[in-house]
Amino acid sequence: MNRFGLPPQILRLVLLTALIVGTYAVARTLLTPATFGQYGHYRGAALEETASRKPLFAGAKACDECHSDVSEKATKGHKLISCESCHSASSAHVRNPDITTVKLTDNSCLRCHSSDPARPARHKQVTTIEHYPGDHCIECHLPHQPNKSP
Amino acid sequence: MKPSCSRRRLLGLLAGGAGWLASLPFARTAKAAVKNVFASAKTPDGYNPTKHHWLMCIDVDRCIGCGLCAEACKAENAVPQSSNYFRTWIERYIIKKPAPGVAALRGDVIVDSPNGGRNGFPPTLVPKAEILKAFFVPKLCNLCEHSPCAQACPVGATFDTPDGVVLVDPTYCIGCGFCIQACPYGCRFMNPDTHTAEKCTLCYHRITRGLQPACVEVCPTKARIFGDLKNPTEKDPLQEFIRHNKVFTLKPHLGTEPRVLYANIDKEVR
């Protein structure tokens, strides 16, 4: 008997349990990442880390700043297409206009306009062997006003 | 003999224990609040994930199969170049006419996706006369309400964010690949460099900056409709899409409740 009035084996058991629970509590506090549980049962900082990548595509609005003339003149058909669909990821060019954008060829037109039975019929399509073979598309079609010729 | 533990003492101990248990939830809330002050997970420009809910829908009728989305996705997210790894891709469905004399509405279904459609589609080898109909189907993470991938993950590395995206925490992922097997839509892959599972993040780094996902940005025909359910704009593209189309989900019998809706899709699409 001791001053708690408990048999020694019970006291030892209580102390041991307290030690285990205490160690668990300390370990849990130390090991759980700081933002765990901020939004749910996961690390809240994972959202921030996923969002920290740098975008490569600048977005259609970015081009307007310096090339608003192009987007204003663009006509039916190609008006709704984002600049970067054709000119490809250009955020480097937006930050520094000296870095040129990708050079475009006839293949970039044909990617959208070569005929394919799986394409919706209302989409304007051409067959290369029939549609003025040997000439470049932009010799007859302005890229931003495709129904006009230069 | 004096009893070793008096009734008064035992009752007191029990009451104390009950009080401690009852105070746990408050202690936890207080702890979380303190932690938030010290380590707040704020996304770019004060973006608050609880104030948005993103969604993408697909109008199959508009897709022309140019493959710019698959190409842009790879570039934007540094997806490994090999043709085994995709976060989004395009499939070409060609449904043949039934063989002569066969009492059927349609014949064989041929599905191909050369390099995920990333370089566009070469002309099909099926002669035009044999084709009943054909169309392109863009695929991406279906953003399931009951995600099998999140349920399969043994370490809780995959989760639903408050803004409607399913993300992978690469620091938790142990690369076991269970989620890749669990996804019925085949939307995940194992990154060969990091050995962690990867998937479409709806371009989380773009939408948190007010940009559109790369695939939506480059789509020339608006076949991918993207919007924020919590902040509908005037003439919101998503609301218009729902109003004007009859929409379906992929593999509805699995009970995954995909949030991504497809319009004008055919029975053959899986």
Side-chain angles (χ1 to χ4, degrees):
Chain A
M1 289 290 164
N2 45 49
R3 65 192 177 89
F4 294 106
L6 291 173
Q9 69 271 35
I10 298 290
L11 189 68
R12 253 179 248 137
L13 213 59
V14 169
L15 283 178
L16 189 67
T17 312
L19 188 74
I20 291 172
V21 172
T23 320
Y24 168 76
V26 171
R28 206 195 127 108
T29 325
L30 290 181
L31 294 180
T32 312
T35 55
F36 192 89
Q38 191 186 13
Y39 303 117
H41 201 73
Y42 51 87
R43 219 162 46 91
L47 271 64
E48 190 189 14
E49 282 158 24
T50 313
S52 65
R53 270 193 85 79
K54 281 264 165 312
L56 281 183
F57 285 82
K61 283 196 203 93
C63 314
D64 266 2
E65 197 184 308
C66 309
H67 295 293
S68 54
D69 54 322
V70 178
S71 47
E72 274 157 24
K73 269 192 296 179
T75 50
K76 185 173 142 266
H78 286 184
K79 177 135 192 108
L80 293 173
I81 307 177
S82 164
C83 314
E84 284 168 306
S85 305
C86 294
H87 290 292
S88 160
S90 310
S91 66
H93 169 78
V94 169
R95 277 194 297 276
N96 176 9
D98 289 342
I99 303 172
T100 53
T101 53
V102 180
K103 194 99 196 84
L104 297 174
T105 60
D106 287 354
N107 279 335
S108 33
C109 306
L110 290 171
R111 192 166 178 167
C112 290
H113 286 294
S114 65
S115 64
D116 188 315
R119 293 199 153 141
R122 64 169 181 277
H123 181 71
K124 306 249 163 71
Q125 302 160 43
V126 292
T127 321
T128 6
I129 14 174
E130 287 164 12
H131 193 78
Y132 309 102
D135 290 324
H136 293 299
C137 312
I138 54 169
E139 285 169 17
C140 303
H141 299 278
L142 283 171
H144 307 128
Q145 293 111 301
N147 40 7
K148 290 207 190 102
S149 42
Chain B
M1 193 191 98
K2 190 170 161 276
S4 60
C5 183
S6 71
R7 180 179 296 172
R8 170 185 298 247
R9 198 182 155 75
L10 182 71
L11 286 176
L13 275 174
L14 281 177
W20 175 69
L21 272 180
S23 70
L24 269 183
F26 299 107
R28 212 167 263 172
T29 326
K31 192 183 112 190
V34 171
K35 270 183 176 175
N36 272 352
V37 172
F38 287 112
S40 172
K42 280 280 173 299
T43 24
D45 299 331
Y47 173 84
N48 183 347
T50 57
K51 295 253 160 38
H52 302 269
H53 200 285
W54 305 103
L55 184 63
M56 195 188 295
C57 293
I58 309 281
D59 190 345
V60 171
D61 250 8
R62 291 198 203 161
C63 181
I64 59 169
C66 62
L68 287 168
C69 51
E71 190 184 15
C73 174
K74 277 224 177 189
E76 181 72 39
N77 296 296
V79 174
Q81 286 302 312
S82 151
S83 62
N84 301 324
Y85 308 109
F86 289 100
R87 290 184 178 196
T88 188
W89 68 100
I90 303 181
E91 291 166 3
R92 174 166 63 186
Y93 282 72
I94 294 173
I95 300 174
K96 285 193 175 177
K97 289 178 184 155
V102 179
L105 277 177
R106 44 180 98 187
D108 291 344
V109 180
I110 298 163
V111 186
D112 66 344
S113 182
N115 204 359
R118 187 157 72 94
N119 309 319
F121 284 79
T124 176
L125 299 175
V126 184
K128 214 165 186 168
E130 286 178 25
I131 299 175
L132 179 67
K133 58 176 166 178
F135 48 90
F136 293 104
V137 182
K139 293 273 183 83
L140 76 157
C141 168
N142 275 260
L143 303 171
C144 305
E145 203 74 61
H146 309 299
S147 334
C149 55
Q151 287 162 32
C153 182
V155 293
T158 284
F159 50 88
D160 280 298
T161 66
D163 40 357
V165 186
V166 180
L167 289 184
V168 182
D169 185 344
T171 61
Y172 274 28
C173 179
I174 55 172
C176 67
F178 284 160
C179 56
I180 296 166
Q181 290 190 340
C183 177
Y185 306 100
C187 295
R188 292 175 160 249
F189 61 90
M190 185 67 69
N191 187 311
D193 305 322
T194 60
H195 300 289
T196 55
E198 241 181 62
K199 67 178 288 296
C200 166
T201 62
L202 277 185
C203 279
Y204 203 66
H205 58 296
R206 296 178 61 83
I207 57 180
T208 49
R209 288 174 167 83
L211 297 166
Q212 290 195 307
C215 56
V216 181
E217 176 70 40
V218 298
C219 181
T221 55
K222 306 274 175 288
R224 292 168 181 261
I225 299 106
F226 183 76
D228 185 349
L229 298 177
K230 283 195 182 164
N231 306 295
T233 52
E234 207 179 317
K235 279 216 147 214
D236 190 68
L238 276 177
Q239 317 282 350
E240 295 284 303
F241 171 75
I242 296 292
R243 186 175 306 141
H244 297 302
N245 289 292
K246 296 170 184 72
V247 291
F248 310 83
T249 57
L250 298 184
K251 302 188 185 179
H253 57 284
L254 295 178
T256 53
E257 299 278 328
R259 287 192 284 252
V260 174
L261 301 174
Y262 281 79
N264 304 311
I265 210 156
D266 213 56
K267 156 182 167 291
E268 315 295 344
V269 179
R270 293 280 122 86

